[in-house]
Structures are given as structure tokens and as C-alpha cells.
């Protein structure tokens, strides 16, 4: 038991340092640099070295207790900064997923309408090509044109856009596609489905969710560095670069996580239905089985 507790403690400390202390310490270092140099001498490394050397010399005169107290204050400050940013990441994730707060509802509606208009324009062109040439008589050129248009449409959203962001629509499309295919309400079904999943599948889902969360956290830190750029412009440059990287990784992570959720339902919904005694006639549950599962999960509500 002591060995297990020691191992668990080491993991918690490692997670604590990587998630809170280290990013917070880097931000505090950037803030201190900005406070020393300001905008006028933002890249004056000589002035920075002189100031840091002066601080180190002064700290060297302190007692051991004073030096330890200073280190403790710095560590606790970095953890406080990291905790604050991680708390803000919940709100940033809402922005990613299109669940914008009330003051931003109007811009969200306009952006959603614009995305929907683009999606529908491409879909109309796909429908036109399909109507003009029946499937049996389509040549290679027509099929390539339809495939290209389909890729353009799916690049906007896999279903009719209902959110102002790509990530929000990607998650919403998973819900609508599963409802159309199986008749299930994913929100009602997911907790029960999770309980019958094999552990390797759960681990893969946790990993993909962690990738998306890491991208959201990265974008939150990027915003903090951009704000710091109001006082020290190199911070804004770093923040913009970090934000672009987080945006790219976040889109990929969201698409992968949504795809894994959909694939999980495809492969394991039948197992859930059989566990609950719902008859499944074919290889996968049909719409009637899905509706029966919904009624069961909602408890008549």
C-alpha cells in the first residue's frame, strides 16, 4: 500500500507541476520581463541581465529562510496563475464549442447563418449534379466533381450548421448523425454506453478528450500572453503564434474525438441494447430499437 501511495503521489505532483506550476511560472517570468523592459526597450537583453543580476545579488544577501520563503512565494504564485487560467479554460471551451454567452448571442447567430448559407450553397450544387446525371450513368469527371464538392461541404460541417464554430458543429453533427442512423439521443445514451465499453476503448476516448482539452488550455494561455502584449509587445507575438498552433491542434483533436464517439456508438450500441433486453434484428440497432432505448433512458419523462 505504501508503494502504491508513493507512486500515486509522484503522479499527482508531476501532473500538478506540468499543468499548473510550469505554465504559471513561464507567464510570471514573461510578466516580470515586461515590467522591467516595457514597450520602449522590449528587446534590451543587456538591461534585463543587469536587472536580474541585481536581484540575484540582493537575494544572495538574504537568510536561508528568506530565500526559501521567496521560492515558496514564486511557486505558489505560479500555481495561482495556472489555476486561474485553467478555471478560465472552461469558458474558453464554450467559445470553441459554440455555446457563446448571452452578450455574444447575436454575433453567434449571424456567424451560424453565414456558415449555414455556405453549406447549403455547396449542397445545392451537389444535388444539382446528382439530379442532372443519374448514378448509373455518371462518368469519372462527374463523380470527381461531386467528391470535391462533398469534401468542401464537409470542411464546413458534416451536417447542416447549427453552431457558430467548426468545433461546435463537429460535435453537433455527431449527435444528429447518430439520431438519424439509430434514432438515439446521444446525451441520454452515453453514460449507459460508457459502462459497457471495454477499457481500451475508454482509454482511447479519454486520450482524445485530453488532446482537445490541452488545445483549449493552450488557446487560453495564448489569450493571456496577447493581453500581456499590451505592456510588452513580444508577448503578443508569442501569444498569437501559440494561439494559431492551439487552433490547428484543437480542430484536429475535436474532429478525432467526435469521430471516435461516433465509431464507439457504431460498434457498441448493439451490446448496450442486448444488455438492456432490447431486441436487435440486424447487425446494428434500427430506428425502432433506438427509440425504445430513448424511452428507457428518459424514464417516461
Amino acid at each position: 500500500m505504501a508503494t502504491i501511495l508513493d507512486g500515486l503521489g509522484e503522479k499527482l505532483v508531476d501532473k500538478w507541476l506540468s499543468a499548473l506550476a510550469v505554465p504559471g511560472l513561464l507567464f510570471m517570468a514573461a510578466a516580470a520581463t515586461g515590467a522591467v523592459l516595457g514597450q520602449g526597450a522590449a528587446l534590451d537583453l543587456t538591461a534585463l541581465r543587469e536587472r536580474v543580476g541585481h536581484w540575484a545579488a540582493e537575494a544572495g544577501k538574504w537568510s536561508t529562510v528568506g530565500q526559501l520563503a521567496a521560492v515558496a512565494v514564486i511557486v505558489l504564485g505560479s500555481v495561482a496563475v495556472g489555476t486561474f487560467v485553467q478555471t478560465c479554460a472552461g469558458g474558453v471551451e464554450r467559445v470553441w464549442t459554440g455555446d457563446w454567452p448571452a452578450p455574444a448571442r447575436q454575433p453567434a447567430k449571424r456567424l451560424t447563418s453565414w456558415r449555414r448559407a455556405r453549406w447549403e450553397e455547396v449542397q445545392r450544387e451537389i444535388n444539382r449534379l446528382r439530379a442532372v446525371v443519374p448514378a448509373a450513368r455518371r462518368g469519372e469527371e462527374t463523380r470527381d466533381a461531386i467528391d470535391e464538392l462533398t469534401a468542401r461541404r464537409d470542411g464546413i460541417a458534416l451536417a447542416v450548421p447549427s453552431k457558430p464554430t467548426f468545433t461546435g458543429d463537429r460535435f453537433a453533427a455527431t449527435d444528429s448523425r447518430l439520431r438519424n442512423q439509430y434514432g438515439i439521443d446521444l446525451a441520454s445514451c452515453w453514460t449507459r454506453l460508457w459502462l459497457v465499453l471495454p477499457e481500451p476503448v475508454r482509454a482511447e476516448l479519454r486520450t482524445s478528450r485530453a488532446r482537445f482539452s490541452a488545445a483549449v488550455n493552450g488557446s487560453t494561455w495564448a489569450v493571456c500572453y496577447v493581453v500581456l502584449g499590451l505592456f510588452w509587445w513580444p508577448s503578443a507575438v508569442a501569444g498569437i503564434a501559440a494561439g494559431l498552433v492551439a487552433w490547428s491542434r484543437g480542430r484536429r483533436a475535436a474532429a478525432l474525438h467526435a469521430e471516435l464517439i461516433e465509431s464507439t456508438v457504431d460498434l457498441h450500441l448493439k451490446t448496450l441494447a442486448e444488455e438492456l433486453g432490447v431486441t436487435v434484428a440486424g447487425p446494428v440497432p434500427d430506428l425502432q430499437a433506438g427509440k425504445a432505448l430513448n424511452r428507457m433512458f428518459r424514464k417516461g419523462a
Side-chain angles (χ1 to χ4, degrees):
M1 180 60 72
T3 304
I4 294 174
L5 290 176
D6 289 343
L8 180 60
E10 290 175 2
K11 290 180 180 179
L12 289 174
V13 170
D14 289 343
K15 184 176 181 180
W16 178 73
L17 287 173
S18 61
L20 298 177
V22 173
L25 188 60
L26 290 174
F27 185 79
M28 288 179 64
T33 302
V36 170
L37 300 180
Q39 299 288 31
L43 299 178
D44 190 346
L45 298 182
T46 301
L48 180 62
R49 282 195 296 268
E50 290 177 354
R51 182 60 64 87
V52 172
H54 174 71
W55 287 344
E58 289 296 320
K61 301 175 183 177
W62 299 350
S63 66
T64 302
V65 174
Q67 292 175 354
L68 290 175
V71 171
V73 168
I74 292 172
V75 172
L76 290 175
S78 65
V79 171
V81 171
T83 302
F84 173 75
V85 172
Q86 200 166 67
T87 301
C88 293
V92 174
E93 183 170 318
R94 290 184 60 187
V95 175
W96 274 80
T97 56
D99 183 19
W100 293 7
R105 293 284 164 79
Q106 203 57 38
K109 287 180 181 179
R110 286 197 291 267
L111 187 53
T112 302
S113 298
W114 175 71
R115 289 172 51 78
R116 186 183 299 116
R118 290 175 58 214
W119 191 93
E120 290 175 345
E121 180 182 358
V122 179
Q123 183 62 49
R124 282 194 296 269
E125 185 63 20
I126 293 173
N127 294 339
R128 186 188 66 79
L129 287 176
R130 287 173 175 170
V132 169
V133 184
R137 291 188 297 165
R138 286 174 196 157
E140 191 69 26
E141 184 177 347
T142 303
R143 287 196 294 270
D144 288 344
I146 292 175
D147 290 343
E148 182 179 348
L149 287 168
T150 301
R152 280 179 53 197
R153 181 201 64 191
D154 291 348
I156 301 170
L158 293 185
V160 180
S162 60
K163 300 287 184 179
T165 62
F166 168 85
T167 303
D169 273 330
R170 187 62 188 86
F171 289 135
T174 298
D175 187 53
S176 62
R177 283 158 62 91
L178 292 173
R179 185 181 295 108
N180 293 336
Q181 181 69 26
Y182 303 116
I184 63 165
D185 176 14
L186 183 59
S188 300
C189 166
W190 183 251
T191 304
R192 284 85 174 178
L193 181 63
W194 181 265
L195 295 177
V196 301
L197 293 179
E199 185 54 37
V201 177
R202 294 185 189 178
E204 190 62 36
L205 286 165
R206 291 190 193 101
T207 300
S208 67
R209 183 63 173 86
R211 291 194 193 101
F212 177 63
S213 296
V216 172
N217 287 337
S219 66
T220 309
W221 280 109
V223 171
C224 293
Y225 278 97
V226 170
V227 172
L228 181 59
L230 297 174
F231 308 96
W232 186 54
W233 66 261
S235 175
V237 176
I240 291 171
L244 291 174
V245 171
W247 174 79
S248 176
R249 290 179 176 175
R251 282 172 61 100
R252 291 197 301 269
L256 175 60
H257 189 59
E259 186 68 26
L260 281 172
I261 291 173
E262 191 170 327
S263 301
T264 298
V265 175
D266 289 338
L267 295 174
H268 297 281
L269 185 61
K270 184 177 181 179
T271 301
L272 175 63
E274 291 174 346
E275 287 284 343
L276 295 172
V278 175
T279 302
V280 178
V284 295
D286 56 15
L287 291 174
Q288 293 302 317
K291 291 176 181 178
L293 289 172
N294 285 342
R295 288 193 295 272
M296 187 180 299
F297 298 151
R298 291 169 181 164
K299 304 294 189 296

